[in-house]
């Protein structure tokens, strides 16, 4: 089965090719791109399109690779031994399966999302090389091998916060989600707001891309922030009228807090708008 996008997700031809190449090669798909470009959502939509269960492993700075395999709950076993519980003699009761274990033993081929892998320690990707390559791992406490009965599709996302090891990269099919151009973005907006008037869409996109082009902006607004902004404009008639009927080049866009996320960028917009008003005055 080939992935061609869904009615809720606009996938470019290049992204479709990347997903299908990873499926054919049976290799993890490593997705990079700006925050808010739909990397996590891609895994959800691939699972939906292929009719597979989605298993999500959100990575934090404290996450260890072992947690994705299994964890041994020694505290519970100690407590049960103190209470005289008979199950304490069977160590398997205290083995807690992780997300890889869950994906490997799924009744149907799953989509395993390892989300934001670059948040973890630099050794984290290397610690998963064998497991993702061979699709198996060994449980030392019970002396059993957990092997994937049906190979899951693995989608790994990264925000490029740190470089990933070469040995890990060699085992992945890589795709960088480029920020959507205006035509693609219009299709994305239409998916979320099919009944939105075209005048508002065009004006919102014009302001949005002008904002992204401002030199010195610390954090450029993303797709998800554009969607939030349009949702607010639809709910606020006054802000919508300001956007449609006033010169936005000489003013900070209405409800700008949905697009700009720090005080430096907010100050920059105010200064630029002030300078524009002085030039025209």
């Amino acid at each position: 089965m080939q992935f061609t996008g869904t009615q809720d997700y606009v996938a470019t031809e290049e992204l479709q090719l990347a997903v299908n190449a990873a499926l054919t090669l049976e290799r993890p798909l490593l997705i990079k791109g700006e925050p808010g470009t739909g990397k996590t959502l891609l895994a959800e939509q691939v699972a939906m399109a292929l009719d597979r269960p989605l298993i999500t492993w959100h990575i934090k700075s404290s996450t260890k690779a072992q947690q994705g395999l299994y964890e041994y709950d020694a505290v519970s076993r100690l407590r049960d031994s103190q209470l005289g519980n008979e199950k304490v003699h069977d160590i398997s009761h205290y083995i807690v399966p992780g997300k890889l274990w869950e994906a490997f033993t799924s009744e149907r081929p799953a989509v395993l999302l390892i989300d934001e892998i670059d948040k973890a320690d630099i050794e984290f990707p290397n610690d998963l090389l064998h497991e993702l390559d061979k699709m198996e791992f060994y449980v030392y406490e019970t002396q059993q091998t957990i092997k994937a009965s049906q190979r899951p599709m693995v989608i790994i996302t990264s925000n490029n916060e740190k470089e990933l090891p070469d040995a890990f990269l060699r085992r992945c099919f890589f795709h960088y989600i480029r920020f959507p151009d205006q035509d693609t973005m219009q299709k994305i907006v239409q998916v979320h707001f099919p009944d939105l008037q075209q005048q508002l869409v065009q004006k919102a996109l014009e302001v949005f891309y002008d904002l992204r082009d401002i030199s010195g902006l610390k954090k450029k607004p993303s797709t998800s922030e554009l969607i939030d902004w349009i949702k607010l404009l639809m709910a606020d008639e006054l802000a919508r009228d300001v956007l449609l009927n006033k010169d936005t080049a000489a003013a900070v866009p209405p409800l700008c807090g949905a697009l700009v996320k720090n005080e430096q960028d907010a100050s920059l917009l105010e200064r630029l708008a002030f300078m524009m008003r002085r030039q025209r005055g």
Side-chain angles (χ1 to χ4, degrees):
M1 185 179 243
Q2 296 283 296
F3 175 70
T4 57
T6 70
Q7 63 179 7
D8 298 322
Y9 190 91
V10 178
T12 62
E13 185 176 343
E14 292 81 7
L15 182 56
Q16 293 176 38
L17 287 171
V19 172
N20 293 320
L23 282 166
T24 300
L25 294 172
E26 295 187 327
R27 288 191 177 276
L29 174 62
L30 174 60
I31 297 289
K32 290 187 178 183
E34 286 184 35
T37 49
K39 300 186 295 298
T40 301
L41 185 59
L42 171 66
E44 299 172 7
Q45 297 302 313
V46 168
M48 183 185 299
L50 302 182
D51 191 26
R52 295 188 179 195
L54 174 66
I55 298 168
T56 302
W57 186 14
H58 294 294
I59 306 303
K60 302 177 182 178
S61 59
S62 59
T63 304
K64 302 299 180 186
Q66 180 64 34
Q67 294 171 311
L69 309 181
Y70 68 92
E71 292 185 271
Y72 169 49
D73 191 353
V75 174
S76 292
R77 193 180 189 197
L78 175 61
R79 184 179 62 247
D80 287 345
S81 68
Q82 293 171 337
L83 296 173
N85 195 321
E86 283 299 316
K87 76 175 188 179
V88 74
H89 301 294
D90 184 354
I91 197 171
S92 65
H93 288 132
Y94 305 97
I95 301 298
V96 182
K99 296 298 184 179
L100 266 74
W101 186 322
E102 188 179 337
F104 287 1
T105 56
S106 174
E107 292 183 0
R108 293 187 293 142
V111 173
L112 172 63
L113 169 63
I114 303 178
D115 199 25
E116 299 189 330
I117 194 171
D118 52 325
K119 282 187 175 179
D121 183 86
I122 189 63
E123 290 303 318
F124 180 92
N126 281 334
D127 291 342
L128 289 176
L129 286 180
H130 174 80
E131 289 75 14
L132 292 178
D133 205 21
K134 302 298 182 182
M135 287 288 154
E136 65 179 40
F137 60 89
Y138 187 70
V139 183
Y140 292 93
E141 289 81 358
T142 60
Q143 299 181 12
Q144 65 179 133
T145 298
I146 303 299
K147 187 176 179 65
S149 54
Q150 301 182 84
R151 192 179 186 97
M153 179 181 188
V154 181
I155 297 179
I156 303 167
T157 71
S158 169
N159 287 327
N160 242 354
E161 291 183 11
K162 62 170 71 84
E163 290 297 322
L164 299 173
D166 288 345
F168 181 80
L169 295 175
R170 282 199 302 271
R171 289 164 169 80
C172 298
F173 188 91
F174 170 76
H175 181 74
Y176 184 86
I177 297 183
R178 300 185 186 281
F179 197 83
D181 58 28
Q182 197 154 332
D183 290 339
T184 304
M185 188 65 82
Q186 186 164 349
K187 294 176 184 175
I188 294 171
V189 170
Q190 190 171 3
V191 165
H192 289 271
F193 309 106
D195 300 322
L196 192 61
Q197 66 179 95
Q198 284 306 301
Q199 184 186 5
L200 179 58
V201 173
Q202 293 298 329
K203 188 62 176 179
L205 289 178
E206 177 187 323
V207 171
F208 175 76
Y209 279 96
D210 284 347
L211 188 58
R212 282 184 56 88
D213 286 341
I214 292 176
S215 178
L217 206 64
K218 186 175 180 180
K219 182 194 177 303
K220 295 182 179 182
S222 67
T223 306
S224 61
E225 288 156 348
L226 171 64
I227 299 302
D228 287 345
W229 186 49
I230 292 177
K231 187 175 182 179
L232 288 173
L233 290 171
M234 291 174 65
D236 191 322
E237 186 176 350
L238 180 61
R240 191 165 64 245
D241 288 343
V242 168
L243 181 69
L244 290 174
N245 300 317
K246 292 194 175 181
D247 182 4
T248 51
V252 175
L255 300 169
C256 192
L259 299 172
V260 175
K261 302 297 184 177
N262 60 70
E263 62 276 15
Q264 296 99 314
D265 289 346
S267 297
L268 176 60
L269 288 188
E270 289 170 359
R271 289 198 304 273
L272 291 174
F274 175 73
M275 290 169 60
M276 185 65 70
R277 289 194 298 271
R278 288 192 63 181
Q279 289 176 2
R280 294 181 179 183

